[in-house]
Amino acid sequence: MRKSSGFTLMEIIVTLIVIGISAAALMSVFSNLIRGSADPMIQQQAATIAEAYMEEIMLRSFDDPQGGETGAAEGGETRATYDDVKDFRSLAAGPAANQAGASIGLDSYIVTLSITNSALNGVAAADALRINVSVNHPAIGAIAISGYRLRYP
């Protein structure tokens, strides 16, 4: 009598079950990788937006060059005409925008500013402003940067 070669029905079923379980585990790993793959790009974009806002603010004068400092934007000023750091206290939290206040197409990034008088290493609080810029996106936590603008003699 000749011995037949091949697989039994039981061996085929066990093999299919093992392959199915392995495939399900691999798909779970791949889906987690794909879901988080955009996070570094979103974080970098948020950091770039925060740095752009910080640079825009830091390039302004400490006090209003025309005098009459109110601690916020003086009558009729818009972001495009802010001429000192304290004017930015009037800028409400909102989507990332250019200096003219127009959308830059990144509306899911929400920018929040905080500008407060804060003493720094022997410099009186009246002569030092702490600037906090925070950018939030639903996919990541807040990206925050801080800096100081000092009144120079």
Side-chain angles (χ1 to χ4, degrees), residues 30-101:
F30 285 137
S31 70
N32 285 339
L33 286 174
I34 290 170
R35 187 176 310 123
S37 67
D39 288 354
M41 188 271 308
I42 293 170
Q43 289 174 337
Q44 181 60 46
Q45 186 68 54
T48 301
I49 291 168
E51 290 169 355
Y53 271 77
M54 181 65 77
E55 181 178 8
E56 177 186 353
I57 296 167
M58 295 291 269
L59 290 173
R60 300 297 192 270
S61 298
F62 185 87
D63 288 313
D64 191 346
Q66 286 81 36
E69 180 61 60
T70 64
E74 288 75 44
E77 280 190 310
T78 62
R79 182 173 166 199
T81 60
Y82 287 172
D83 56 2
D84 63 277
V85 174
K86 296 173 188 171
D87 288 347
F88 285 89
R89 289 178 174 164
S90 301
L91 190 62
N98 64 19
Q99 291 182 4

Side-chain angles (χ1 to χ4, degrees), residues 87-113:
D87 288 347
F88 285 89
R89 289 178 174 164
S90 301
L91 190 62
N98 64 19
Q99 291 182 4
S103 173
I104 57 173
L106 299 172
D107 294 340
S108 57
Y109 294 87
I110 305 300
V111 180
T112 307
L113 300 177

Side-chain angles (χ1 to χ4, degrees), residues 99-150:
Q99 291 182 4
S103 173
I104 57 173
L106 299 172
D107 294 340
S108 57
Y109 294 87
I110 305 300
V111 180
T112 307
L113 300 177
S114 166
I115 300 172
T116 56
N117 288 84
S118 178
L120 175 68
N121 294 335
V123 177
D127 295 326
L129 295 170
R130 181 182 169 108
I131 304 161
N132 298 310
V133 180
S134 176
V135 179
N136 293 296
H137 187 279
I140 61 170
I143 300 292
I145 61 173
S146 296
Y148 282 88
R149 182 70 166 85
L150 305 177

